[in-house]
Amino acid sequence: MSQIIEIKVPDIGDYKDVPVIEVLVKAGDKIEKEQSIVVLESDKATMDVPSSHSGVVKEVKVKVGDSLSEGAIVMTLEEGAAVSVPASTPAPAAASKTASAPVSASSSGSSAPIEIKVPDIGDYKDVPVIEVLVKAGDRIEKEQSIVVLESDKATMDVPSSHAGIVKEVKVKVGDNLSEGSVVLILEGGSGAVTAPVAAVSAPAAPAIKAVEPPIARAPAPPPKSNPPPPVDGAMSHASPSVRKFARELGVTITQVKGSGPKGRITQEDVQAFVKAAMSGGAGSSSAAAASSGGSLGGLNLIPWPKVDFTKFGEIERQPLNRIKKLTAANLARNWVMIPAVTYHEDADITDLEAFRVMTNKDNEKKGVKITMLAFLMKAAVAALKKHPEFNSSLDGDDLILKKYFNIGFAADTPTGLVVPVIKDADKKGIFELAKETSELAALAREGKLKPDQMQGASFTISSLGGIGGTSFSPIVNAPEVAILGVSKAAMKPVWDGKQFVPRLICPLSLSADHRVIDGALATRFTVYIAQLLADFRRATL
């Protein structure tokens, strides 16, 4: 015999009167337990509200725009006897019977279980899990990666602090972790190999609390009068970082098809959509838009040339590694979003280079070689103090002027470009800057940089001096407003008023956000840096 059940908003923490932004079901729909039924969005998070039971929707009690709190009735559900009996009673009981024997068996054996937690990851908090690399029963080694976290700035492998057998994985893809979060339970002893997993995990979810907390999702785009239809009629499920990533690239999230669990959209899906859009293949709606000359995937671009390169000769396809994919996404966003202009200036570093070589020779026993990058950092700090607009970030209609001087520098590594950051560069001497940049560059090449060593830059220097080139246009690293590019110095004839003399000339290329920095200010900034490098005594004034 069927019964009518009220499906209510479960525990959603401290949130109250949260607006409904999507209703995912309608009267007559057959739904499963834990299926999302409505989406709520506060000013901080978007949440899927799951159904606590399975059955047929009799009546939906809410609509888009309603404000809900814990306990609010979302809908009424007609649950049949055939559905409700097996779902609620036997399964937990059976699980509890099978649980007792393994627990007692393992308790007589080896060492106590160990909680493996997220270590110090700098200032990052609530970082989403994008990959779980182990499962219950796996034998792992100390320092082996167990999960991968990805913020909007970096991807981090979380290592295990011990070796042993994985007893229980406490996280899943999409969970948000911070320092100290428990990732898994490990059994160190070899005798614990079979004692398992089902034994402890089966009763872990008691039948009393049928509803799990809602799943955090990304903030939805601003409401529109006629929102575009989802791909293939499916609703768009994506994390906050993925939705933000899509918005920054100008992609309508509802047009992206998800490949994650339950169709959830990942960052890779958005990247694949953009790639397909640019090649003319991002779904039927995009293809139609492209053929009619309209917007292509919200990017307003004509289709990317689609070429069968094998017609012209042998090819090899190589997938991009994770760092290059993340770098490409960030650079594409910055290139599209920031109206940057590049300004060029030549700096005469003849005397400074002679001083650098002499100083290194006089201090060979210190084991630290002064690099030109150290002088560039000191010059940049002096210029930032003189022109504070360059040491800022845009925040809506406000300009955030920073009182600290953290200088990032681009480091070339085998896996791609990374940007370590020298904190408080204004408080460090030339030798200290040279030593720290050398150490961070070595860590970058070895892939051992910590997240906090790549955070907090207020200005960036990208130097190609050790490679070559005469000038280039570096891309501004958001949310910064400027970046200084440095090319290879070369001897050139310079007229001194009487004759041409050989001077060592270093080309400088400054890219600046024109919303904050106009051409005159950018030129003054670049000229001032050139003056400092020509006569470094100016830096002491």
Side-chain angles (χ1 to χ4, degrees), residues 168-512:
E168 181 183 2
V169 178
K170 292 285 191 178
V171 301
K172 60 184 181 301
V173 172
D175 286 355
N176 292 327
L177 305 184
S178 303
E179 179 181 345
S181 299
V182 177
V183 179
L184 55 82
I185 305 296
L186 199 67
E187 287 185 332
S190 57
V193 176
T194 59
V197 179
V200 179
S201 60
I208 300 173
K209 179 101 175 174
V211 183
E212 294 180 0
I215 303 167
R217 293 209 325 169
K224 300 177 183 178
S225 55
N226 293 304
V231 174
D232 298 329
M235 304 307 290
S236 55
H237 298 273
S239 70
S241 59
V242 170
R243 284 184 181 266
K244 180 182 178 184
F245 178 68
R247 286 197 303 272
E248 288 169 342
L249 290 182
V251 173
T252 304
I253 196 71
T254 53
Q255 295 181 335
V256 181
K257 191 170 184 178
S259 63
K262 299 183 180 180
R264 189 166 291 275
I265 298 167
T266 66
Q267 183 164 308
E268 286 74 17
D269 294 330
V270 177
Q271 291 172 334
F273 178 84
V274 173
K275 182 178 178 181
M278 296 179 74
S279 62
S284 57
S285 60
S286 296
S291 62
S292 62
S295 171
L296 184 58
L299 300 175
N300 294 312
L301 299 174
I302 62 173
W304 192 265
K306 199 166 186 178
V307 180
D308 180 7
F309 299 104
T310 58
K311 293 192 303 183
F312 308 105
E314 183 181 354
I315 67 169
E316 178 184 356
R317 184 178 293 273
Q318 293 183 346
L320 292 175
N321 61 44
R322 186 182 303 280
I323 288 181
K324 287 186 177 178
K325 285 193 288 186
L326 288 172
T327 300
N330 286 325
L331 291 177
R333 175 200 63 195
N334 296 347
W335 180 257
V336 170
M337 301 287 288
I338 300 174
V341 180
T342 303
Y343 308 85
H344 302 282
E345 183 65 35
D346 286 342
D348 185 340
I349 62 169
T350 310
D351 297 336
L352 182 59
E353 175 62 9
F355 174 73
R356 186 187 73 83
V357 172
M358 180 185 68
T359 304
N360 281 337
K361 188 173 292 185
D362 292 342
N363 294 273
E364 285 179 342
K365 294 182 180 179
K366 281 190 174 182
V368 178
K369 285 191 175 182
I370 297 177
T371 60
M372 188 56 66
L373 178 59
F375 288 108
L376 285 164
M377 285 187 173
K378 291 302 280 186
V381 168
L384 293 173
K385 289 181 177 180
K386 186 178 180 66
H387 301 288
E389 297 91 341
F390 288 83
N391 201 40
S392 69
S393 289
L394 269 176
D395 185 15
D397 293 331
D398 297 328
L399 189 65
I400 307 300
L401 296 171
K402 300 161 189 173
K403 304 300 183 182
Y404 54 86
F405 299 89
N406 298 342
I407 309 298
F409 66 98
D412 184 26
T413 76
T415 56
L417 187 72
V418 295
V419 183
V421 179
I422 301 292
K423 305 289 175 60
D424 298 321
D426 57 317
K427 301 174 184 177
K428 296 173 180 176
I430 293 294
F431 276 103
E432 192 174 359
L433 290 174
K435 182 175 183 293
E436 195 168 338
T437 53
S438 176
E439 291 171 347
L440 288 174
L443 289 173
R445 288 190 295 271
E446 296 167 4
K448 295 181 179 179
L449 279 175
K450 295 180 180 179
D452 63 336
Q453 293 172 318
M454 297 182 285
Q455 293 177 331
S458 55
F459 185 79
T460 296
I461 297 174
S462 179
S463 176
L464 300 178
I467 302 173
T470 55
S471 65
F472 65 105
S473 294
I475 298 176
V476 177
N477 187 24
E480 298 160 37
V481 296
I483 180 172
L484 179 66
V486 184
S487 299
K488 186 176 182 179
M491 296 299 296
K492 293 184 178 182
V494 176
W495 182 254
D496 67 355
K498 296 180 180 179
Q499 59 184 344
F500 284 102
V501 294
R503 305 295 291 177
L504 186 61
I505 303 300
C506 179
L508 305 177
S509 303
L510 177 82
S511 291

Side-chain angles (χ1 to χ4, degrees), residues 81-216:
V83 176
S84 60
V85 172
S88 58
T89 314
S96 62
K97 288 180 181 177
T98 58
S100 58
V103 169
S104 60
S106 64
S107 63
S108 62
S110 54
S111 58
I114 301 170
E115 289 185 339
I116 305 300
K117 301 179 179 180
V118 177
D120 179 8
I121 54 174
D123 295 332
Y124 289 98
K125 292 182 180 179
D126 298 327
V127 187
V129 177
I130 62 167
E131 289 183 43
V132 178
L133 307 177
V134 297
K135 62 183 183 302
D138 284 356
R139 173 177 287 278
I140 63 174
E141 301 300 322
K142 185 177 181 181
E143 300 301 327
Q144 179 177 333
S145 295
I146 51 178
V147 295
V148 181
L149 309 182
E150 185 178 86
S151 73
D152 58 345
K153 292 185 178 179
T155 302
M156 299 161 274
D157 285 1
V158 173
S160 175
S161 55
H162 294 73
I165 306 296
V166 177
K167 182 176 183 181
E168 181 183 2
V169 178
K170 292 285 191 178
V171 301
K172 60 184 181 301
V173 172
D175 286 355
N176 292 327
L177 305 184
S178 303
E179 179 181 345
S181 299
V182 177
V183 179
L184 55 82
I185 305 296
L186 199 67
E187 287 185 332
S190 57
V193 176
T194 59
V197 179
V200 179
S201 60
I208 300 173
K209 179 101 175 174
V211 183
E212 294 180 0
I215 303 167

